[in-house]
Amino acid sequence: MEKLRCSKFLETSKPYFAMISLQFGYAGMNIITKVSLNHGMSHYVLVVYRHAIATAVIAPFALFFERKGQPKITFPIFIQIFILGLLGPVIDQNFYYAGLKYTSPTFSCAMSNMLPAMTFVMAVICRMEKLEVKKVRTQAKLVGTLVTVAGAMLMTLYKGPIVEMFWSKALQPVGSDHGATDQSHESSDKDWFKGSILLILATLAWAFLFVLQTKALKTYKNHQLSLTTLVCFMGTVQAIAVTFVMEHDPSAWKIGFDMNLLAAAYAGIVTSSISYYVQGLVIKKKGPVFATAFSPLMMIIVAIMGSFILAEKIFLGGIVGSALIVVGLYAVLWGKQKEKMSMDDDEILDPVKGSSAINYGNGNSAVVAAIEDVEANKVIDDVQKSEGNNNSKHFTMIAPISMPLADEVPLEKLNQENDRA
């Protein structure tokens, strides 16, 4: 009995453990990438190496599991993959890494929590989502979006005083040069604002990627690994072209067995390969809302790890803005969950093939099963005609249900039972 309970607990806990582990993986990527960028690695080169490694890791699985029935790459499909590669690996990742370089890992993670709200806005613009303002779920999504944007604006425009964490006091330098600090304060604020704008643009590109990806997934419904491989490969080629234009120093491409290689390999293997597979399993079992709900956990992990490893400073504006973003995030997710439940209920209530029942006023009943609804109605009409104008009996049509019931009852037997009554 104890073993059964243990195995049941482990089975139900798997999605939770998987998503918590993924958040630790994402947090590690942010910390390692920040260290690499601080050591002078170009974010353009990092994007190239990351997606080249991701392509090399995902491609064998796509060839092995999805080699049969591959969709033909027509010109419209090629354009879709081209745009997806441009939005994801090139625009989103470059802007995100640039914003991370100018701000901090905690700030970047907080900004990325705007994604559901931004996706909702993009879906409305592209007419993929209807605005039913009178419904509570739509109101929740609208309010959540506004609160999320307000939190992002607060984090961008207001830093506030430094909030001292009890574990980070020993890591802060005690005797610092106040003159140098004052001189660099203005440039630091400018970099912070620039980084905030870049992170917002990265989130917009990410949201637009999700909106366009829904169309591509219709073609690659059973070949998601193949689609990911093609997007990563296309993104790698585009990122190489962008890097040649933006980086004129050939030494920027040099990489050895150091933090730069670790950042590229970690991002490519963990966040672009393993996370895709694990998150896909969780979404398939628990749904996308469940997977997205764990996003704020990454921000908390990064804040703690950043204060230990990078001696990162946490500002009051960042804490208040992050709280607003999280509140807005869960408001949008709540609205999406209610919308999904409403759609599921509508599907259940649709007319289906099943069983119909005829209920007599005297308590007798008969079931007409495994026939079409039109045929069931015809049977009822025939019985009513045979009864004439007898008002002592009445008939009630029970809605068809989707489970098998009794065998079909002949019409003659119904008439005999009716005569006895």
Side-chain angles (χ1 to χ4, degrees):
M1 192 70 179
E2 290 294 330
K3 288 183 178 179
L4 287 174
R5 288 179 181 176
C6 244
S7 62
K8 189 176 180 181
F9 171 76
L10 289 174
E11 187 65 27
T12 55
S13 302
K14 279 181 181 179
Y16 296 90
F17 288 136
M19 290 309 303
I20 292 172
S21 301
L22 275 186
Q23 301 314 310
F24 275 98
Y26 288 137
M29 187 274 293
N30 279 274
I31 298 295
I32 294 172
T33 302
K34 177 65 175 178
V35 173
S36 177
L37 293 173
N38 287 346
H39 280 77
M41 185 175 189
S42 169
H43 60 84
Y44 297 107
V45 177
L46 179 58
V47 168
V48 173
Y49 286 140
R50 168 180 175 169
H51 290 92
I53 293 173
T55 305
V57 171
I58 299 174
F61 293 97
L63 290 172
F64 183 78
F65 291 108
E66 299 178 353
R67 61 180 180 273
K68 295 181 180 178
Q70 285 284 341
K72 293 181 179 179
I73 302 179
T74 60
F75 184 73
I77 294 176
F78 173 79
I79 293 298
Q80 290 178 18
I81 295 172
F82 183 88
I83 295 175
L84 288 174
L86 186 65
L87 286 171
V90 179
I91 298 176
D92 169 41
Q93 292 300 319
N94 275 301
F95 281 4
Y96 183 82
Y97 285 152
L100 176 63
K101 186 176 181 178
Y102 287 126
T103 57
S104 68
T106 305
F107 188 91
S108 303
C109 292
M111 283 293 189
S112 66
N113 286 325
M114 295 173 60
L115 179 63
M118 292 294 184
T119 307
F120 170 67
V121 173
M122 288 293 180
V124 171
I125 293 173
C126 296
R127 297 184 179 181
M128 297 178 65
E129 186 126 6
K130 294 181 180 179
L131 277 180
E132 300 172 329
V133 184
K134 294 183 179 180
K135 295 190 176 180
V136 178
R137 59 175 183 263
T138 305
Q139 294 171 3
K141 289 189 287 186
L142 287 172
V143 172
T145 301
L146 293 175
V147 172
T148 301
V149 173
M153 291 299 100
L154 179 64
M155 292 180 67
T156 302
L157 302 174
Y158 174 72
K159 290 176 71 173
I162 297 175
V163 178
E164 293 284 352
M165 300 295 176
F166 68 90
W167 62 78
S168 62
K169 288 182 180 179
L171 299 174
Q172 300 294 337
V174 179
S176 60
D177 189 353
H178 294 285
T181 304
D182 292 337
Q183 291 176 0
S184 62
H185 183 72
E186 186 178 351
S187 62
S188 176
D189 286 342
K190 288 181 180 178
D191 289 343
W192 195 270
F193 181 78
K194 189 191 299 182
S196 302
I197 299 301
L198 289 171
L199 289 170
I200 292 173
L201 292 175
T203 309
L204 283 171
W206 198 2
F208 201 48
L209 170 72
F210 279 151
V211 172
L212 291 182
Q213 195 175 13
T214 56
K215 188 173 183 180
L217 283 172
K218 292 179 182 178
T219 306
Y220 287 88
K221 185 177 180 180
N222 300 319
H223 299 83
Q224 296 181 12
L225 286 172
S226 302
L227 178 62
T228 305
T229 303
L230 291 171
V231 171
C232 286
F233 175 75
M234 183 61 66
T236 304
V237 174
Q238 293 172 344
I240 290 173
V242 171
T243 306
F244 274 127
V245 173
M246 302 301 296
E247 286 289 346
H248 303 288
D249 186 7
S251 63
W253 292 90
K254 291 182 181 179
I255 192 170
F257 290 95
D258 51 11
M259 184 60 68
N260 296 343
L261 178 62
L262 176 62
Y266 187 97
I269 296 172
V270 176
T271 60
S272 294
S273 300
I274 296 176
S275 65
Y276 172 81
Y277 177 73
V278 175
Q279 191 165 302
L281 292 178
V282 173
I283 290 174
K284 188 176 181 180
K285 188 172 184 179
K286 303 289 287 186
V289 175
F290 178 87
T292 317
F294 285 83
S295 298
L297 179 61
M298 175 180 62
M299 181 178 63
I300 298 171
I301 297 170
V302 169
I304 297 173
M305 291 175 64
S307 62
F308 275 112
I309 300 172
L310 302 173
E312 179 186 342
K313 296 177 182 179
I314 300 175
F315 298 93
L316 179 62
I319 293 177
V320 177
S322 300
L324 287 175
I325 288 176
V326 171
V327 171
L329 166 72
Y330 281 116
V332 174
L333 292 179
W334 183 86
K336 293 296 291 181
Q337 178 67 8
K338 289 295 180 181
E339 184 180 36
K340 182 177 181 298
M341 291 171 63
S342 176
M343 291 173 64
D344 292 343
D345 290 341
D346 290 342
E347 289 178 4
I348 293 173
L349 292 174
D350 283 342
V352 292
K353 290 182 182 181
S355 306
S356 303
I358 302 175
N359 189 28
Y360 297 97
N362 59 2
N364 295 327
S365 63
V367 177
V368 182
I371 56 176
E372 294 284 344
D373 299 334
V374 177
E375 294 175 356
N377 291 330
K378 185 179 178 182
V379 170
I380 293 174
D381 291 339
D382 292 339
V383 175
Q384 287 175 333
K385 288 177 182 178
S386 66
E387 287 301 312
N389 295 323
N390 191 349
N391 295 324
S392 63
K393 304 175 181 64
H394 64 274
F395 299 88
T396 304
M397 183 69 185
I398 300 177
I401 55 178
S402 57
M403 61 177 65
L405 293 176
D407 293 330
E408 183 177 348
V409 180
L411 182 61
E412 293 80 9
K413 189 174 181 180
L414 293 175
N415 292 331
Q416 290 176 5
E417 290 179 2
N418 203 20
D419 292 333
R420 291 195 199 102

